Amino acid sequence: MTTFNELTDVTDFKHYKAAIKSALGKLRAGSTGVNFVYIEKFGFSDKERPLVLIDHDPQLVSQLGKKPTATGKCKVDDADRIEFAANVGTVNIDKAQRLFTDVGVPRAVADPDAPAPTGAKLLEGETLNMKYGWSEMRTWGDEAAALIEKFDGLVGLYKSIPEVKPEWKDLDQRHDDVKEAMAEMVRTRIVNTPKARNDHQALVEKQIETVRQLIADIRKRATAPVAKPQASKPGTTPPTGTTKQPETGPTSQTTPQAPKEQPKVTPTQTEVSKPVLTAKEIQSRVSQTLPVKGKDDAVKYTARMERVLKSEFAEVSASHLKAIELLADKTWFTKSEEPEATTKTEKVERMTLTDTQKRDIDTAMRTAVAAANGPAEMLDNKAQVALGDALTAAIGGNYPTHSRDGGHKGSFTKDKSIQQQLSNIGAILNAKVREAINEHFATAWPGYNV
């Protein structure tokens, strides 16, 4: 059966995202391809976007309400890129790539005007380092799905970066920076907490914009006019290294004439004029350029930015560099100060669990582990409620967040892992209570936290 059969399979973008990824997953290298339909502006239920249909019922096309922009065959080429061979119309490669990036497709769209990638900038990895494993993270549901989707889209976008010529040193350096930043993303282990997921997703989203800007700059450089050397005019000084041949005939004995004034050469005759570096551009570049974690500081970061900016802008002054350093330090390198934990007042306010509370928490955790299903330690609704009630009772609290039939507040009626439920419980606890429970978990139940 085909993937797209009803109009509702297309109009709901959330449904479309899952369906198009499933359809694209059926493509295999070496095959003759499948029919595709491309509409450049299609009204989904939320907003207008490009639409790509493959593996669809042919009768569905007449229900779309728009004439296709392009049709033809879609396949995967030898470089594992999605290739559109249109026999009617033209597919806008950039818009199709943006769509697949938003959807979360880890493949690039092949540009027929660009060579296949050489493999010189292969990624270190294409999956994030998630605490319970990539496949198990997918069973966690909406909490992690957005992060996975964003990173998959970034992987596909990275693979679409055009060829960077060896002489484009600044662009090559930016390409290396992107590769290193993505390597750091896959090396960093992500635990199943809202903050960890949100922080990592913010890095992925910034990197998507960085890669999009890099692609735009590479294409701009590739299409920039090439300067042609100016031909010598009569009466001008010959180029250095050449010998002017003696003139023959009657004019050779005449008095030499004063050299004519050299014609003024405008920047457009010798090179493409460079724009002026503005404060807005500095803010944009710093926000989009990630540091090299573990190796960078504001000074090194600024030095690297200086090399890139000097190749693109007319003048990069000391004032510009100071602004970059200050902004980079504030954006990437200044850590929020944490209150010192050595004062007498804080020691008094610090909560410590009693032996009874620890014993009750241990009993609740043993019960949850015994009730959990499979290696992912999934709890049904009844077990989720039991764990929440037992933990809140252990610390003497009354938190009406667990219903007998509806699960945790938010109506999580599907199975959840033990760690997921602990995170849900921790969200409604006082910070000192969470700290006390986590201190006990660190020794008695390592790997878990609230």
Side-chain angles (χ1 to χ4, degrees):
M1 185 175 179
T2 53
T3 303
F4 293 99
N5 301 286
E6 305 290 339
L7 188 59
T8 52
D9 295 340
V10 178
T11 52
D12 185 326
F13 189 64
K14 185 175 181 180
H15 187 106
Y16 171 78
K17 287 196 297 184
I20 191 62
K21 283 189 280 190
S22 174
L24 290 169
K26 297 178 182 180
L27 298 179
R28 295 290 181 268
S31 68
T32 56
V34 298
N35 293 331
F36 80 84
V37 169
Y38 170 74
I39 297 177
E40 194 150 301
K41 293 182 179 181
F42 181 77
F44 287 93
S45 55
D46 57 343
K47 67 177 185 179
E48 191 174 75
R49 298 181 179 87
L51 169 69
V52 172
L53 282 185
I54 64 169
D55 190 35
H56 60 281
D57 185 338
Q59 296 183 3
L60 177 59
V61 180
S62 62
Q63 302 175 38
L64 298 177
K66 276 198 170 186
K67 181 180 179 181
T69 308
T71 58
K73 292 284 186 180
C74 177
K75 64 177 183 178
V76 174
D77 66 10
D78 294 336
D80 198 40
R81 301 178 301 175
I82 300 169
E83 182 180 280
F84 293 102
N87 50 37
V88 175
T90 304
V91 175
N92 186 310
I93 299 301
D94 287 340
K95 291 184 178 180
Q97 181 65 67
R98 179 174 283 271
L99 171 68
F100 289 165
T101 300
D102 291 342
V103 166
V105 177
R107 275 176 171 156
V109 177
D111 185 347
D113 298 325
T118 61
K121 304 270 188 186
L122 289 178
L123 289 170
E124 183 175 305
E126 296 185 15
T127 55
L128 294 173
N129 185 1
M130 294 182 170
K131 186 173 181 180
Y132 295 104
W134 187 257
S135 61
E136 290 180 24
M137 279 295 288
R138 290 189 178 276
T139 68
W140 289 0
D142 295 342
E143 293 87 346
L147 173 57
I148 295 172
E149 182 177 278
K150 289 288 184 182
F151 187 74
D152 284 348
L154 173 58
V155 169
L157 182 64
Y158 177 90
K159 293 177 181 178
S160 74
I161 296 177
E163 179 187 23
V164 178
K165 293 185 179 180
E167 60 268 28
W168 300 343
K169 300 296 185 184
D170 57 316
L171 296 175
D172 190 59
Q173 180 61 53
R174 286 169 61 185
H175 197 171
D176 282 338
D177 292 344
V178 168
K179 179 184 174 184
E180 176 57 31
M182 292 182 66
E184 183 65 25
M185 286 182 191
V186 301
R187 287 194 293 261
T188 302
R189 199 167 194 188
I190 308 168
V191 296
N192 183 29
T193 64
K195 184 178 187 307
R197 290 193 303 269
N198 292 339
D199 288 350
H200 221 74
Q201 183 166 329
L203 290 176
V204 172
E205 289 172 347
K206 280 192 173 183
Q207 198 64 19
I208 287 174
E209 295 308 312
T210 299
V211 176
R212 282 176 174 158
Q213 186 61 54
L214 174 60
I215 291 172
D217 291 345
I218 292 172
R219 289 182 176 163
K220 182 178 178 181
R221 187 73 59 86
T223 56
V226 179
K228 295 182 179 179
Q230 297 298 302
S232 299
K233 295 183 179 180
T236 59
T237 305
T240 304
T242 63
T243 304
K244 187 175 181 179
Q245 297 299 321
E247 298 179 359
T248 58
T251 58
S252 61
Q253 302 299 323
T254 59
T255 303
Q257 297 181 356
K260 296 182 179 179
E261 183 181 354
Q262 295 294 319
K264 293 182 179 180
V265 180
T266 62
T268 55
Q269 290 176 296
T270 56
E271 61 178 357
V272 178
S273 59
K274 296 180 180 180
V276 176
L277 181 59
T278 63
K280 184 177 181 180
E281 181 65 31
I282 288 175
Q283 291 174 341
S284 175
R285 287 299 182 92
V286 171
S287 68
Q288 294 177 8
T289 305
L290 298 178
V292 180
K293 288 190 177 180
K295 303 177 182 178
D296 232 347
D297 57 26
V299 175
K300 293 178 182 178
Y301 181 97
T302 302
R304 192 168 66 252
M305 286 285 284
E306 179 183 7
R307 293 193 296 271
V308 174
L309 295 175
K310 279 187 173 180
S311 66
E312 298 181 36
F313 294 92
E315 180 184 0
V316 180
S317 66
S319 298
H320 288 143
L321 298 178
K322 188 63 178 177
I324 292 171
E325 182 178 340
L326 292 173
L327 186 57
D329 186 63
K330 181 179 179 181
T331 304
W332 301 113
F333 303 105
T334 300
K335 296 181 179 179
S336 58
E337 295 184 0
E338 298 181 359
E340 296 183 359
T342 57
T343 65
K344 183 177 180 180
T345 302
E346 289 180 347
K347 287 183 179 179
V348 172
E349 292 180 351
R350 182 181 178 85
M351 178 180 175
T352 302
L353 295 178
T354 66
D355 290 340
T356 300
Q357 288 173 325
K358 292 178 181 179
R359 191 163 50 248
D360 289 344
I361 289 174
D362 292 342
T363 300
M365 287 296 293
R366 282 194 293 270
T367 302
V369 170
N373 297 315
E377 298 186 316
M378 303 301 286
L379 300 176
D380 61 18
N381 181 253
K382 183 178 179 180
Q384 292 173 45
V385 171
L387 178 58
D389 287 349
L391 280 184
T392 54
I395 49 90
N398 180 22
Y399 298 90
T401 59
H402 299 80
S403 64
R404 292 298 164 187
D405 299 309
H408 184 273
K409 182 181 287 185
S411 299
F412 292 158
T413 56
K414 58 186 177 181
D415 290 356
K416 299 288 181 183
S417 70
I418 292 176
Q419 179 54 54
Q420 277 180 286
Q421 183 62 355
L422 289 173
S423 297
N424 292 339
I425 297 165
I428 52 90
L429 296 178
N430 179 279
K432 290 184 293 184
V433 175
R434 285 199 304 270
E435 183 180 354
I437 295 176
N438 284 334
E439 184 177 5
H440 175 61
F441 275 180
T443 56
W445 298 92
Y448 296 101
N449 60 79
V450 294

